[in-house]
Amino acid sequence: MKPNHRTTSQQRGFTMTQMVITLAVIAIVSVAGVLGIKNARAEFRLQNNARLFASYVEKARADAIRRHAATGQESSIETFNAGTTSYAITMDFGSGILETRTFNLDSGVSFSTAPKKVTFDWRGRIAEAWVFQIRSEYLNRSLPVDVSGSGDITVGEQHFPDQLIPPVEIAEVTGDVDNSTATPTPTPDPAATPPLDGGGGAEATPTPTPTPTPTPTPTPTATPTPTPANNGNGNGGGNNGSNSGNGNGNPTPTPTPTPTPAAQCVASISPSSLSLSQSDSTKKTGSAVFTMINATGTRTISAAIAGNGNSLVLGLSLVRIDGSGSSVITVTTKNGAGNRGTFTVNVSADPSCGSTQQLTVSVSN
């Protein structure tokens, strides 16, 4: 009987190394697929919310034009502080009256720009161009919704015509109005003209000036002198029934001194607003000074964009200040459509020194 020997070519199955490599490849592909799906969902949510918001802006503009909105009856759209998810639309929703309704963005999406109310007049125009930035927390980026001065709405554009048109300078016209004052021709008085025959007529008797009658001065009424009251205890006698006391009066209490309150720590920032540009190299960076007065102890200074945005690069010259002092906040712009608009930078100290100071930064392309 021959022994049962298996050769290598007759063996079937996988080695342990092959199994580990296969599982590793499957895990990597699965993670990449899950991340891709999450990014796609977040991108879809951001795009959907931005375009839905833009559609409501367009509806408000069309409603103002349709109603030929009078002053005080304009359609408007209003956003609130950075990091919030709600916005208010004021227009005629079909009931024939002007009403305000509040709408919300989806979860994970919020506004990153400063609060603003945009009002459309009867021609569908607004006072000045404005940029609303809608930010995705998962993607950590924003999508702009631009509204031009003429009321045009675009989504996700980097360059916008309103900000590329230079301002029109209107020359003042002078000298086209005659401001001189006409001099009237004097008219002779017939009564003052002398007789033509040269004869002397009767002389006019001047009218005597009446002498004003003096107004009599009223006699003042005598006021009796008050008699001081006797605050003491004791017997006394005097003429005309007056009494004089020899006793001791009640002593005047000494007021308790009030301690002087300690000076409160006060913070300020100057200037309170900056206007920067993404393309102009001279305006890409700006600075403001944060100052503390009457401060004691060591405080930590912090600066952050409201709503946890990342559209600006912030820097501090001093992070820790002992007592009173100042720190320079440097603000630098970033390129990209999602980094335009008006943002709020909150600057504060820990422990607190007065109220949190706000720096408004406007970024144009």
Side-chain angles (χ1 to χ4, degrees), residues 53 60 130 209 211 250 258 263 304 321:
F53 173 77
W130 189 259
T209 303
T211 303
N250 296 326
T258 303
I321 298 179

Side-chain angles (χ1 to χ4, degrees), residues 302-349:
S302 62
I305 303 175
N308 298 322
N310 63 342
S311 298
L312 303 170
V313 179
L314 304 178
L316 292 170
S317 62
L318 292 176
V319 178
R320 296 171 63 89
I321 298 179
D322 188 5
S324 301
S326 300
S327 178
V328 179
I329 295 93
T330 305
V331 183
T332 305
T333 62
K334 289 183 178 181
N335 292 328
N339 301 319
R340 294 182 296 109
T342 302
F343 305 94
T344 301
V345 178
N346 294 325
V347 184
S348 60

Side-chain angles (χ1 to χ4, degrees), residues 31-291:
V31 170
V34 171
L35 292 178
I37 293 174
K38 284 187 176 181
N39 287 336
R41 291 183 62 184
E43 181 69 27
F44 175 77
R45 187 181 295 113
L46 176 62
Q47 292 281 347
N48 182 59
N49 280 269
R51 298 188 183 281
L52 181 61
F53 173 77
S55 68
Y56 276 118
V57 178
E58 183 64 40
K59 288 179 181 179
R61 177 176 182 267
D63 175 71
I65 298 174
R66 178 184 62 83
R67 293 185 296 106
H68 202 83
T71 303
Q73 297 294 318
E74 301 93 344
S75 300
S76 65
I77 181 167
E78 181 178 9
T79 60
F80 306 98
N81 294 327
T84 58
T85 61
S86 61
Y87 54 96
I89 305 291
T90 301
M91 58 177 283
D92 178 10
F93 288 91
S95 60
I97 61 175
L98 205 63
E99 59 179 315
T100 301
R101 294 183 183 179
T102 302
F103 300 88
N104 293 307
L105 302 175
D106 291 340
S107 176
V109 182
S110 61
F111 292 100
S112 62
T113 42
K116 180 67 174 180
K117 183 176 183 179
V118 172
T119 302
F120 295 97
D121 61 12
W122 63 274
R123 295 176 296 180
R125 299 180 180 180
I126 62 176
E128 60 178 352
W130 189 259
V131 183
F132 297 97
Q133 291 285 356
I134 300 179
R135 179 176 177 270
S136 170
E137 297 178 2
Y138 183 82
L139 299 175
N140 199 22
R141 71 179 183 87
S142 301
L143 192 66
V145 177
D146 289 270
V147 184
S148 70
S150 60
D152 297 327
I153 298 128
T154 52
V155 179
E157 296 294 334
Q158 166 63 11
H159 298 286
F160 205 69
D162 267 16
Q163 296 158 355
L164 300 179
I165 300 175
V168 179
E169 297 183 1
I170 301 176
E172 182 180 359
V173 180
T174 58
D176 59 338
V177 178
D178 185 8
N179 296 322
S180 60
T181 304
T183 304
T185 303
T187 302
D189 187 1
T193 303
L196 296 178
D197 55 358
E203 296 183 0
T205 304
T207 303
T209 303
T211 303
T213 304
T215 303
T217 304
T219 303
T221 305
T223 304
T225 304
T227 304
N230 178 20
N231 295 326
N233 297 322
N235 298 323
N239 297 328
N240 299 328
S242 63
N243 296 325
S244 62
N246 296 323
N248 296 325
N250 296 326
T252 303
T254 303
T256 304
T258 303
T260 303
Q264 298 294 325
C265 183
V266 179
S268 62
I269 192 168
S270 179
S272 59
S273 61
L274 296 174
S275 295
L276 306 180
S277 172
Q278 292 178 327
S279 58
D280 189 349
S281 59
T282 62
K283 295 182 179 180
K284 284 189 174 182
T285 302
S287 61
V289 180
F290 176 76
T291 304

